[in-house]
Amino acid sequence: MKILKSACIVLTSLLLSSSVSAQTQAQSPEFLQYEHSTWVDSVMATLTPNERIAQLIMIAAYSNRDDEHRKEILKQITENKIGGLIFFQGGPARQAKLMNEYQAASKVPLLGAIDAEWGLGMRLDTTISYPFQMALGAMQEDSLIYDMGVEVARQIKRVGLHLNFAPVVDVNNNANNPVINYRSFGENKYNVAKKGIAYMRGLQDNLVLPTAKHFPGHGDTDTDSHYALPQINHSRKRLDTTELYPFREIIKAGIGGVMVAHLDIPALDSTGVPSTLSKPIISGLLKEELGFKGLIVTDAMNMKGVTKDNAPGIVDKDAILAGNGLLEFTVAVPKAIQEVRKAMRKGLITQADIDNRCRKILALKQWVGLNNYQPTSLENIIEDVNTPEAKLLNRRLTEASLTVLKNEQQILPLQKLDTLKIAAISFGKKKESKFQKSLSLYAQVDNFNVPNEVTPEQLSAIKEQLNNYNLVIAGVHDHSSYPRNDLKLSSEAQEFLSELIKSKTTIASFFKNPYVMDDVKDIENAEALILTYQDSENSEDLAAQLIFGGVSANGKLPVSVGEKFKSGEGLEVKGGLRFKYTLPEDAGLNSELLYQKVDSLMQKAMDAKAIPGGQLFIAKDQKVILNKAYGYHKYSDTIKVKTTDIYDLASVTKVSSALPSLMKLYDEGKFDLETGIDTYLPYFKNSNKANVPFRQILAHQAGFQPWIPYWKNTLRKNGSYKWHTFKKDSSSRYPVKVASNLWLHKNYQSKIYKAIKESPVKEVKKYEYSGLVFYLLPGIVEKISGEDFVTYVDDNFYTPLGATTLTYKPNNKFSIDRIVPTENDFFFRKKSIHGSVHDEGAIMMGGVSANAGLFANANDLAKLLQMYLNGGSYGGVQYISEETLKEFTKYQFPENDNRRGLGFDKPSLGERTENGNAAKDASELSYGHTGFTGIMVWMDPATDLLYLFLSNRVLPTRDNTRLYSLNTRTNIQQAIYDAMKN
């Protein structure tokens, strides 16, 4: 019975073992199906023994070297019949052209490989660099890494190549690793394996062979195998459980290639030979134990880790004897072939073995399509590897990697902007950084820079100025395009950063290798700490957006940072609070169609001298997809328009000052649409405007006169000013500035009110645009609220929105160089208008009116308008109720053929035309306004679309109406809708 019981136990054990083995058996790489195909057989029949060996050899090629290099590569192809090329530095077009030439010279189509761990940008100029694997290791969405693999595969094939020596699946558990480090997904073996498999599948599903590297694991070393042979002194058990884990998993997942590192690992091979030359490691461990059947590739055979004490050619032969199937970067091809032949004659390796490896190479060539080789097209190759979709993927990967390690009091995203005085300090930058520029899109931010070697005088000046700020945003920048594990900031700069964190409310954004944080004193004590893993345009831009709630963060730290932070830490911060600045494809628009059309229409308008320049702003779903400046301030100017420049908004002031105020007061029950002007201004009680409901007035259906040329009453018949109306100097009697040498009498505004009061009112109530009431609205707002009008709109809207440039009297706040000029006024002010409002009535009101007077750049005005689109909410604040916005922006009297809302313009009723006041495709829910100086703003709730057009078409004269005849503004608006359809 004991014997029978024992036998049953053994049998059960064997069955379980067999079951586990079957479950974990590696998938056979797809390309192996072609090992005995007709094409492979036919090629094999043409190859000599030497040529079969040569198929296992890949040499280095460059597209940024001279003609001598090109001739040397051709010689290797024609004389030695090598099997492939690995391309290093150069450019995509040059490389593709060379590869075409090399393929034409080759007896058998060549395999083309590249190290594209983070995309073609790792080797080629004018191409995309995706985030390094350390950043990808922080991501929680592995599907995005698959998408990256798909896109990298597409780009690799587009430049005529077939192999990517990626992904890196080394577990980086040594912070001092000089060669893997940021190239690894991190220290967590499970995370490394999952992300490595996702990247592998993206490549392999699209017929680019990936190679997992650097087998059996290069993560735990402080030696760079490019310069010496690293030794890893771990037990076999430790290697099995940690270093080998990702390789085992990715092999089970069916990867087609594995690259072997140059390492000395006594637990696996006690002879001290590099793993590349080790039969126990390659044939024993990788092939037999792990069951890998795909292509085994050496690391570069010119690296010191393998060439030290090993002669060229001989070392290549030893790599073949160890079991490798492809030699990368062989430097002595004839010698290598000769040495392998010698080994064959000595019986160290058989012809059958070489043939099997040769067949594997040929099978791979068939799998990638080289059996039907076609030259690579050079047409549009730069554009094809830099598509908008590829760029958007890059931004999505960066955004998904953002990691927040501290967020005390939920300071992120920033709220209550009206309570903040913000200083942005870029450490390690000598001039304004992209980070600082992006921060300034959201609020008033004053910039300071602390270079690596900052002087005591520089620090002293900055410290003194910082007394005026209650929030510091510190960006710690890298000195290199690669996030190396070092810190170049001087001890003085580091100490200053530490002082800031201890003395000020500080948000720190770390644009460096995470390991470096261990050397930065007090960085862990910042109120908020953001880690981006590297310093790039995308990382700086998106970190700034994260701070203000434009984007989210949910990254997790993939490595431990000393005792400060542990792997897996990371807080979630939700975005969507304010604008996200992104690419059109992120909002479902076709960027090529959009940019081409709007740029063309803007250029046409500038060429026709309809406008000297302008700003365009487009946002969909609160995603800013265009914020662009065009042309110049003046036709004869050299000052180019910038997106930060400020334009006179003319009548768009109506929907940007008085209307938000009235809507807020309406919400509070303090303003009634069914009452008249006289309810709030008793001066109008006995006028013909008494009891006319505001609903009719704001809908331009009250019968009011369109406008009154107040300024004409200040001039004599000969054109000179009436002496009692204007003086050249200011005084208590003449306090209203109209121009630098023109001051208006203090009582003249009462004459404007009187003119409005006594103006006629038509009996027939139909749509006729009138701006008269907008001169009165600031006084009405003041009467109801008890506050100064400018203070009211500033405190309730502009400042909390972060709309820094949305202001009256901009020349009191901003440099004149930032303010775009308007008309050369030859009939009233008799000078060029620059820095003050263009509208004569508004300037006679002291520059403050609800009819005109506001200035802004497109970005700041858009914040107010996006708040409307959001149903009255922006930045976490509800300014106006959604119900009130719907009431003010709907058609009020459509039965009377009146297209207006309350103050807002709306699309024409009935059938639309191409020359209408809004795009043909704008919905009936849409609304907006235009301005006399060449402004147009429009919002469409049906598509969540926001459009702003800012220009100074009145320069040099208001008689320039070409902008209207070209219909530029609505044509651009229609182009946006067209781009949404494609």
Side-chain angles (χ1 to χ4, degrees):
M1 287 293 293
K2 287 184 179 180
I3 294 173
L4 183 58
K5 185 177 181 181
S6 177
C8 288
I9 292 172
V10 171
L11 180 59
T12 302
S13 178
L14 287 170
L15 289 171
L16 285 172
S17 175
S18 174
S19 174
V20 170
S21 177
Q23 290 173 14
T24 60
Q25 187 176 4
Q27 292 183 38
S28 181
E30 286 184 5
F31 75 88
L32 294 180
Q33 64 184 296
Y34 299 111
E35 278 186 298
H36 297 281
S37 70
T38 302
W39 183 79
V40 170
D41 287 344
S42 67
V43 175
M44 284 292 293
T46 69
L47 299 178
T48 67
N50 279 9
E51 289 172 351
R52 296 181 185 193
I53 297 169
Q55 283 296 304
L56 315 185
I57 294 175
M58 180 173 278
I59 65 170
Y62 299 78
S63 54
N64 65 347
R65 293 193 176 179
D66 59 18
D67 199 50
E68 286 301 312
H69 173 72
R70 181 185 69 87
K71 289 176 181 177
E72 176 58 29
I73 299 297
L74 285 170
K75 179 181 177 181
Q76 294 283 6
I77 292 169
T78 56
E79 293 185 8
N80 296 313
K81 306 295 192 298
I82 57 170
L85 300 170
I86 173 172
F87 276 91
F88 288 90
Q89 287 78 19
R94 288 166 286 160
Q95 177 191 284
K97 182 179 178 182
L98 283 172
M99 190 59 168
N100 285 346
E101 183 179 4
Y102 296 152
Q103 291 284 24
S106 184
K107 176 180 176 180
V108 179
L110 296 161
L111 275 177
I114 192 168
D115 284 307
E117 294 168 20
W118 50 89
L120 291 181
M122 182 172 176
R123 296 298 188 208
L124 304 181
D125 59 32
T126 64
T127 58
I128 294 175
S129 288
Y130 290 104
F132 299 114
Q133 285 190 197
M134 183 74 78
L136 302 181
M139 292 170 45
Q140 303 305 295
E141 303 171 60
D142 291 347
S143 61
L144 273 177
I145 299 177
Y146 175 86
D147 293 342
M148 185 187 83
V150 171
E151 178 56 31
V152 171
R154 186 191 68 81
Q155 294 179 29
I156 286 173
K157 290 192 293 185
R158 182 64 185 87
V159 297
L161 304 180
H162 321 97
L163 278 75
N164 187 6
F165 290 149
V168 173
V169 292
D170 300 311
V171 180
N172 200 82
N173 38 29
N174 187 328
N176 296 318
N177 194 318
V179 63
I180 304 303
N181 204 295
Y182 60 85
R183 296 165 62 196
S184 165
F185 289 115
E187 70 180 46
N188 183 303
K189 64 181 182 181
Y190 304 108
N191 195 40
V192 170
K194 283 196 308 175
K195 288 177 167 54
I197 290 170
Y199 191 4
M200 173 271 286
R201 283 183 172 146
L203 292 166
Q204 205 157 275
D205 285 354
N206 291 274
L207 301 181
V208 166
L209 190 81
T211 53
K213 61 187 188 184
H214 304 81
F215 184 83
H218 206 321
D220 196 359
T221 175
D222 57 8
T223 302
D224 187 343
S225 55
H226 289 84
Y227 307 107
L229 180 63
Q231 188 175 73
I232 296 179
N233 286 304
H234 290 310
S235 68
R236 175 61 195 265
K237 181 178 179 182
R238 153 62 194 265
L239 293 169
D240 276 341
T241 57
T242 303
E243 278 75 12
L244 286 172
Y245 178 82
F247 289 98
R248 187 178 292 112
E249 293 302 304
I250 206 165
I251 289 169
K252 284 194 292 186
I255 193 166
V258 170
M259 178 181 285
V260 182
H262 308 312
L263 301 168
D264 176 12
I265 312 175
L268 299 179
D269 188 337
S270 60
T271 64
V273 301
S275 46
T276 332
L277 311 180
S278 170
K279 194 165 186 175
I281 291 175
I282 296 172
S283 295
L285 176 59
L286 181 55
K287 287 184 178 181
E288 296 172 15
E289 288 191 42
L290 300 185
F292 181 62
K293 297 179 176 64
L295 183 66
I296 301 174
V297 185
T298 69
D299 208 342
M301 296 301 290
N302 69 330
M303 292 165 61
K304 295 291 192 296
V306 72
T307 60
K308 189 173 183 290
D309 301 326
N310 292 304
I314 295 174
V315 72
D316 300 283
K317 174 264 296 180
D318 289 342
I320 292 293
L321 294 180
N324 290 287
L326 181 63
L327 305 176
E328 181 210 341
F329 212 138
T330 293
V331 294
V333 177
K335 180 69 171 174
I337 295 172
Q338 181 184 14
E339 290 298 324
V340 173
R341 292 284 284 167
K342 281 184 186 178
M344 292 171 68
R345 287 194 293 270
K346 292 178 181 178
L348 300 176
I349 188 169
T350 66
Q351 182 66 55
D353 199 356
I354 294 295
D355 288 353
N356 286 338
R357 296 186 211 187
C358 181
R359 281 184 174 277
K360 192 170 288 187
I361 294 292
L362 294 175
L364 176 57
K365 290 184 177 184
Q366 182 169 354
W367 182 72
V368 300
L370 284 172
N371 58 316
N372 293 308
Y373 167 73
Q374 294 292 324
T376 299
S377 170
L378 303 182
E379 186 176 359
N380 298 324
I381 193 168
I382 302 295
E383 294 81 2
D384 289 346
V385 296
N386 290 279
T387 63
E389 292 80 9
K391 292 175 182 177
L392 177 59
L393 175 61
N394 202 6
R395 291 182 66 84
R396 283 178 170 164
L397 289 163
T398 302
E399 181 182 344
S401 72
L402 294 174
T403 303
V404 176
L405 294 169
K406 292 285 297 295
N407 192 17
E408 297 296 326
Q409 306 298 317
Q410 302 297 303
I411 191 172
L412 297 179
L414 290 174
Q415 301 192 45
K416 298 183 179 178
L417 300 184
D418 52 337
T419 68
L420 301 176
K421 182 90 165 115
I422 306 171
I425 307 178
S426 279
F427 287 82
K429 293 276 188 178
K430 293 182 180 179
K431 58 184 181 179
E432 186 183 40
S433 64
K434 176 65 175 178
F435 180 54
Q436 290 169 317
K437 289 178 182 178
S438 295
L439 289 170
S440 68
L441 291 170
Y442 292 96
Q444 175 62 45
V445 176
D446 297 326
N447 296 329
F448 303 88
N449 290 82
V450 178
N452 288 333
E453 295 297 333
V454 65
T455 66
E457 292 77 17
Q458 287 173 315
L459 281 179
S460 178
I462 293 173
K463 287 177 182 178
E464 185 175 347
Q465 293 178 76
L466 287 180
N467 292 328
N468 300 319
Y469 299 88
N470 60 6
L471 176 65
V472 171
I473 301 176
V476 183
H477 296 272
D478 212 322
H479 55 278
S480 166
S481 56
Y482 301 107
R484 306 193 189 282
N485 191 1
D486 59 356
L487 186 63
K488 294 293 184 183
L489 282 178
S490 66
S491 57
E492 292 81 5
Q494 292 186 53
E495 186 57 37
F496 175 49
L497 176 59
S498 176
E499 288 175 15
L500 275 178
I501 291 171
K502 288 187 283 189
S503 63
K504 291 275 189 184
T505 300
T506 303
I507 297 170
S509 192
F510 204 75
F511 300 103
K512 293 180 69 65
N513 187 309
Y515 292 124
V516 180
M517 287 192 297
D518 202 31
D519 300 323
V520 181
K521 185 180 177 184
D522 291 314
I523 192 76
E524 70 277 15
N525 295 321
E527 270 73 20
L529 176 58
I530 300 165
L531 176 62
T532 70
Y533 302 92
Q534 62 192 83
D535 201 350
S536 67
E537 287 267 314
N538 279 345
S539 63
E540 290 192 32
D541 181 24
L542 290 165
Q545 295 194 42
L546 168 63
I547 289 170
F548 283 96
V551 300
S552 303
N554 67 349
K556 305 293 182 187
L557 189 62
V559 294
S560 296
V561 181
E563 297 301 315
K564 293 182 177 180
F565 301 103
K566 297 302 178 187
S567 173
E569 291 190 35
L571 305 170
E572 187 169 344
V573 174
K574 190 175 181 182
L577 198 67
R578 298 185 178 90
F579 279 130
K580 176 182 182 180
Y581 296 83
T582 183
L583 302 177
E585 280 70 17
D586 198 18
L589 279 80
N590 182 311
S591 61
E592 183 178 0
L593 184 63
L594 177 69
Y595 294 158
Q596 184 181 43
K597 190 65 174 176
V598 300
D599 287 353
S600 173
L601 288 166
M602 283 297 288
Q603 191 61 52
K604 182 179 179 181
M606 292 186 290
D607 290 345
K609 294 198 175 333
I611 54 173
Q615 292 175 4
L616 288 183
F617 185 101
I618 304 168
K620 186 179 185 307
D621 304 327
Q622 202 170 270
K623 297 174 181 178
V624 180
I625 57 177
L626 185 74
N627 182 23
K628 188 174 180 178
Y630 297 82
Y632 296 86
H633 283 208
K634 303 177 183 178
Y635 292 109
S636 59
D637 213 340
T638 58
I639 302 176
K640 290 184 176 181
V641 178
K642 303 181 185 68
T643 55
T644 52
D645 289 339
I646 302 165
Y647 279 82
D648 182 338
L649 301 182
S651 284
V652 170
T653 299
K654 294 178 173 70
V655 299
S656 306
S657 63
L659 280 185
S661 303
L662 293 181
M663 286 189 282
K664 178 176 174 57
L665 295 170
Y666 180 82
D667 271 338
E668 295 169 352
K670 298 175 182 177
F671 174 70
D672 189 347
L673 286 168
E674 310 310 327
T675 61
I677 299 171
D678 52 305
T679 303
Y680 307 103
L681 297 178
Y683 174 69
F684 282 82
K685 276 194 180 296
N686 297 317
S687 73
N688 56 5
K689 295 169 186 65
N691 300 318
V692 179
F694 262 105
R695 188 179 294 278
Q696 287 191 359
I697 296 171
L698 293 176
H700 300 281
Q701 191 169 286
F704 288 3
Q705 188 173 331
W707 70 293
I708 299 173
Y710 312 103
W711 61 273
K712 288 186 177 180
N713 295 326
T714 69
L715 301 178
R716 297 187 179 96
K717 289 183 179 180
N718 65 3
S720 63
Y721 303 115
K722 294 178 180 178
W723 71 269
H724 61 276
T725 304
F726 287 111
K727 296 297 180 185
K728 290 185 177 180
D729 296 311
S730 66
S731 65
S732 58
R733 292 185 66 199
Y734 293 87
V736 182
K737 185 177 181 179
V738 173
S740 57
N741 60 347
L742 198 63
W743 295 81
L744 183 67
H745 194 281
K746 64 179 180 179
N747 292 333
Y748 196 84
Q749 291 175 6
S750 64
K751 292 189 176 183
I752 293 176
Y753 295 145
K754 183 179 179 183
I756 294 172
K757 180 181 179 181
E758 295 179 353
S759 63
V761 175
K762 294 180 179 179
E763 290 187 15
V764 178
K765 306 302 181 186
K766 65 178 184 178
Y767 169 52
E768 185 172 14
Y769 186 85
S770 172
L772 297 189
V773 74
F774 289 91
Y775 287 93
L776 308 175
L777 289 181
I780 291 175
V781 171
E782 290 178 345
K783 183 82 172 178
I784 298 173
S785 68
E787 296 181 46
D788 170 75
F789 178 66
V790 173
T791 302
Y792 184 85
V793 291
D794 276 344
D795 290 352
N796 285 284
F797 299 103
Y798 308 157
T799 303
L801 282 166
T804 307
T805 62
L806 190 52
T807 186
Y808 288 96
K809 302 181 181 180
N811 52 336
N812 293 344
K813 300 179 182 180
F814 301 101
S815 164
I816 196 70
D817 292 339
R818 284 187 64 185
I819 305 172
V820 179
T822 51
E823 189 171 15
N824 296 330
D825 183 354
F826 295 114
F827 47 85
F828 175 42
R829 280 166 275 188
K830 298 180 175 61
K831 64 179 297 179
S832 299
I833 302 171
H834 192 184
S836 59
V837 62
H838 172 269
D839 182 82
E840 297 87 1
I843 195 64
M844 295 174 77
M845 296 293 291
V848 178
S849 167
N851 187 62
L854 268 183
F855 286 70
N857 63 36
N859 183 69
D860 280 342
L861 176 59
K863 295 169 186 175
L864 177 73
L865 306 183
Q866 185 65 47
M867 179 266 284
Y868 294 165
L869 260 183
N870 291 350
S873 168
Y874 187 79
V877 178
Q878 190 74 39
Y879 293 88
I880 300 165
S881 73
E882 188 171 0
E883 293 76 15
T884 293
L885 267 164
K886 288 179 178 178
E887 181 63 34
F888 273 68
T889 59
K890 73 180 184 181
Y891 292 110
Q892 294 296 312
F893 300 100
E895 70 282 359
N896 202 22
D897 199 26
N898 183 342
R899 71 168 191 258
R900 290 279 173 168
L902 294 174
F904 292 100
D905 197 4
K906 288 183 68 63
S908 300
L909 295 162
E911 186 177 351
R912 307 274 183 82
T913 67
E914 291 185 355
N915 294 317
N917 69 314
K920 286 176 64 178
D921 286 346
S923 79
E924 291 187 353
L925 295 175
S926 71
Y927 54 92
H929 215 283
T930 55
F932 188 72
T933 52
I935 312 296
M936 179 177 182
V937 301
W938 212 267
M939 294 136 277
D940 193 342
T943 51
D944 202 1
L945 182 65
L946 171 61
Y947 164 56
L948 290 82
F949 179 106
L950 272 54
S951 77
N952 54 333
R953 70 99 195 159
V954 294
L955 188 141
T957 170
R958 66 186 64 191
D959 294 332
N960 178 12
T961 59
R962 296 186 190 98
L963 186 66
Y964 304 151
S965 58
L966 290 171
N967 203 31
T968 302
R969 296 177 294 184
T970 49
N971 285 341
I972 290 176
Q973 186 186 24
Q974 182 58 45
I976 304 169
Y977 286 99
D978 292 342
M980 290 166 57
K981 301 172 189 174
N982 291 273

